[in-house]
Amino acid sequence: MNINYKSPGTLEETRFEKIHSIIFDDSKKGSLAIAREISDLIKKKKKQNKNCLLGLATGSSPIYVYHELIRMHKEDGLSFKNVICFNLDEYFPMSSDDVKSYHHFMNIHLFDHIDIQKNNIHIPDGSIKKEKINEYCSKYEQKIVEEGGIDFQLLGIGRTGHIGFNEPGSNYDSLTRLVYLDYLTRNDARKAFNGMENVPTTAITMGIKTIRKSKRIVLMAWGNNKSSVVKNAIEGDIDSNISASYLQNHKNVTFVLDKTASDELTRVKSPWRTGSCKWTEKLKAKAVAWLCNRTNKSILNLTESDYNKNNLSELLLEKSYDELNLDFYKRIHRSITGWPGGKPNSDDKERPERSMPKKKRVLIFSPHPDDDVISMGGTFDRLVSQGNQVHVAYQTSGNIAVSNSDVLKYLEVINSTFPDSRYKNEEFIELLKNNNDIINNPRIREIASVIREKESLASTRFIGLPDNQVHFLKLPFYETGTIKKNIPTVSDRRIISEIISEIKPHQIFAAGDLADPHGTHKVCLDILFDSLNNLKEKLFMKDCWVWLYRGAWHEWPIHEIDMAVPMSPFQVLRKRKAIFFHQTQKDNVMFQGDDNREFWVRTEDRNRAIAKKFRDLGMSDYTAIETFKRYHF
Ligand code: F6R
């Protein structure tokens, strides 16, 4: 799809939107379209014997765009000789050879792999003296003007709504300058800096006016965690609290979104408000769930006038309001089961799982060693106690999330109790005591992996699983010793395919986390989907159902839930205990995100909240519920 394409027929569909936006199935497809537009522009300018001025961004969003531009250079002969780049921003203070600098980012992700002339690269200098910053920033502005102005500006969007580092409150007329970073922005960067305390508080950024002067602007947003800020920028008023909304009256701007980033747009969230709909069963369910939420009513209390007053009259042409209510009520009711592996000897027509075979082979994939119990601990417990043969496969070692102090503790225990240990640990103990960051060291990483393995075994033994049904896959893409992971390869897919072929499961449970497109959970899911695709013709796969759970952060929307497994107060406590065995992930875990609650608290809150939602819809009053969506491959 061409991202410049505007179909007049779609104007009504997008009537709440004040910025032209295009939704792609996934971030990869969106990135390819952006790379194509950039390469077309470079070639067009070359034909005209002109330079092409690109404004570039860093962060996770543009990585695949750059990846594709490099491919075009290497395979299709795209040349960057006529390209002049200006980057949006750089942390301050920051040396350009620091691995955390945007200079380093641009080199490894783009510049080192293309034929751009080095003197055509401009990135704000984070090592400038503070008193020289104003002068430096004016020169940066001037240079852009002298070179003829930016032809194409690529942008990401921060969760504060920032473009560049123009945080809430930025002025419409702002130019390149030193800014203070918002708490949320710094928090989002804490992984890369190994802790919030190391994230700089200031940065140099192009201003709103600098960005708006570009002839063409493309902003990309991937992932569910951007969906609400994207909605505010596109559908809200121009507001200094959301800098991206300043793009609303630019003449040539497009937002390129993946499906999950577009979730909150009116045309996606409640398409009946933007025009006529093709009413699939799924959309009907979505509409009734939305109506309950909007009117604050349970399903069977919705009236004809509720439908009419809320743009849902079209739905009533097909069925009466009470039939619609009843259909949705039954759908939700049918999703609830205390038998996640299927109830033996029962009529399964109205149940989410098959009753046969009575005892199923179940394979639970867990991206990190603990997602199994955090995300589906109650269901896991039921599957085991109801006699199914359950296997758990931990996809990654999770070793970088073990703190130095935990590794030090275990090494000191070994050294004190086994002084003749065949390993010489003193050297590492000294390094760790001096608080050196040595997770890159293979031996330390190995110890960290073993710690997580043993914690997992304590947890699975508590649930009642024999050790030989617990598998540590250590997928190679993860084993870099740093936050930045490798791109998965055929070896990762082979490992997943092998374990599926060995166990021949009737049920697979996997983390269906789509919130962070570059995060470990999403990579693990993509590898699984590829493997399922490769295996699907095998006879044993005909009998295999795949259920997706969500991680500690997000919940399936009500209308997408295919199986809901209630927990009693006792089961909630058992799940909590199973999570507690992952001791290195308790208290101040290394990669907490911006939610300071511990994992067990988050998941308990979430399980209780979904139970309340079921109750509000008119279902029974459960203490907590875990939810799953079926994936058809
Ligand atoms: C980066 C920049 C920022 C990012 C934004 C989104 O040069 O200016 O505005 O584009 O913070 O970051 P990611 O893409 O990592 O979500």
Side-chain angles (χ1 to χ4, degrees), residues 56-62 88-89 102 155-158 162-165 226:
L56 297 180
T58 54
S60 62
S61 308
L88 279 164
D89 40 25
Y102 283 166
L155 296 175
I157 181 168
H162 71 212
I163 46 177
F165 274 140
K226 298 283 172 77

Coordinates of all heavy atoms in Angstrom, one line a residue, residues 56-62 88-89 102 155-158 162-165 226, ligand 1:
L56 N 15.8 12.3 10.6 CA 15.7 10.9 11.1 C 15.5 10.8 12.6 O 15.9 11.7 13.4 CB 17.0 10.1 10.7 CG 17.2 10.0 9.2 CD1 18.5 9.2 8.9 CD2 16.0 9.3 8.5
A57 N 14.9 9.7 13.0 CA 14.6 9.4 14.4 C 15.4 8.2 14.9 O 15.8 7.4 14.1 CB 13.1 9.2 14.5
T58 N 15.4 8.1 16.2 CA 16.0 6.8 16.8 C 14.9 6.1 17.6 O 13.7 6.4 17.4 CB 17.2 7.2 17.7 OG1 16.7 8.2 18.6 CG2 18.4 7.8 16.9
G59 N 15.3 5.2 18.5 CA 14.3 4.5 19.3 C 14.0 3.2 18.6 O 14.5 2.8 17.6
S60 N 13.0 2.5 19.2 CA 12.7 1.1 18.7 C 11.9 1.2 17.4 O 12.0 0.3 16.5 CB 11.9 0.3 19.7 OG 10.7 1.0 20.0
S61 N 11.1 2.3 17.2 CA 10.2 2.3 16.0 C 10.9 2.3 14.7 O 10.4 1.6 13.8 CB 9.3 3.5 16.1 OG 8.7 3.6 17.4
P62 N 11.9 3.0 14.4 CA 12.4 3.1 13.0 C 13.4 1.9 12.7 O 13.9 1.8 11.5 CB 13.2 4.4 13.0 CG 13.6 4.7 14.3 CD 12.7 4.0 15.3
L88 N 16.9 14.0 14.8 CA 16.1 14.8 15.7 C 16.7 15.3 17.0 O 16.5 16.4 17.4 CB 14.9 14.0 16.0 CG 13.7 13.9 15.1 CD1 12.8 12.7 15.5 CD2 12.9 15.1 15.0
D89 N 17.5 14.3 17.6 CA 17.8 14.6 19.0 C 19.0 13.8 19.5 O 19.4 12.9 18.8 CB 16.6 14.4 19.9 CG 15.8 13.2 19.5 OD1 16.4 12.3 18.9 OD2 14.6 13.1 19.8
Y102 N 22.7 8.4 20.7 CA 22.0 8.3 19.4 C 23.0 8.2 18.2 O 22.6 7.7 17.2 CB 21.0 9.4 19.3 CG 19.7 9.1 20.1 CD1 18.8 10.1 20.3 CD2 19.5 7.9 20.7 CE1 17.7 9.9 21.1 CE2 18.3 7.6 21.4 CZ 17.4 8.7 21.6 OH 16.3 8.4 22.4
L155 N 9.4 10.3 12.1 CA 9.1 10.5 13.5 C 8.6 9.3 14.2 O 7.9 8.5 13.6 CB 8.1 11.6 13.7 CG 8.3 13.0 13.3 CD1 7.1 13.9 13.5 CD2 9.5 13.7 14.1
G156 N 9.0 9.1 15.5 CA 8.3 8.2 16.3 C 7.4 9.0 17.3 O 7.4 10.3 17.2
I157 N 6.7 8.4 18.2 CA 6.0 9.2 19.2 C 6.2 8.5 20.5 O 6.2 7.3 20.7 CB 4.4 9.2 18.8 CG1 3.6 10.0 19.8 CG2 3.9 7.8 18.6 CD1 2.2 10.3 19.3
G158 N 6.5 9.4 21.5 CA 6.7 8.9 22.9 C 5.3 8.8 23.6 O 4.3 9.3 23.1
H162 N 5.3 13.0 22.8 CA 6.4 13.8 22.3 C 6.8 13.4 20.9 O 6.7 12.2 20.5 CB 7.6 13.9 23.2 CG 8.4 12.6 23.3 ND1 9.1 12.2 24.4 CD2 8.7 11.6 22.4 CE1 9.7 11.0 24.2 NE2 9.5 10.6 23.0
I163 N 7.2 14.4 20.1 CA 7.9 14.1 18.8 C 9.3 14.7 19.0 O 9.4 15.8 19.5 CB 7.1 14.7 17.6 CG1 6.7 16.1 17.8 CG2 6.0 13.8 17.2 CD1 6.0 16.7 16.6
G164 N 10.3 14.1 18.5 CA 11.7 14.5 18.9 C 11.6 14.3 20.4 O 10.9 13.4 21.0
F165 N 12.2 15.3 21.2 CA 12.1 15.2 22.6 C 11.2 16.4 23.1 O 11.5 17.0 24.1 CB 13.4 15.2 23.3 CG 13.9 13.8 23.5 CD1 15.3 13.5 23.3 CD2 13.1 12.7 23.9 CE1 15.8 12.2 23.4 CE2 13.6 11.4 24.0 CZ 14.9 11.2 23.8
K226 N 1.1 2.5 22.5 CA 1.0 3.8 21.9 C -0.4 4.2 21.5 O -0.7 5.3 21.1 CB 1.9 3.8 20.6 CG 3.4 3.6 20.8 CD 4.1 4.8 21.4 CE 5.5 4.5 21.8 NZ 6.5 4.4 20.7
Ligands
F6R1 C1 13.9 9.5 18.9 C2 12.9 10.5 19.3 C3 11.7 10.1 20.1 C4 11.2 8.6 19.8 C5 10.0 8.3 20.7 C6 9.5 6.9 20.5 O1 14.9 10.1 18.1 O2 13.0 11.6 18.9 O3 10.7 11.0 19.9 O4 10.8 8.6 18.4 O5 10.4 8.4 22.0 O6 10.5 6.0 20.8 P1 10.3 4.4 20.5 O7 10.3 4.3 19.0 O8 11.5 3.7 21.1 O9 9.0 4.0 21.0

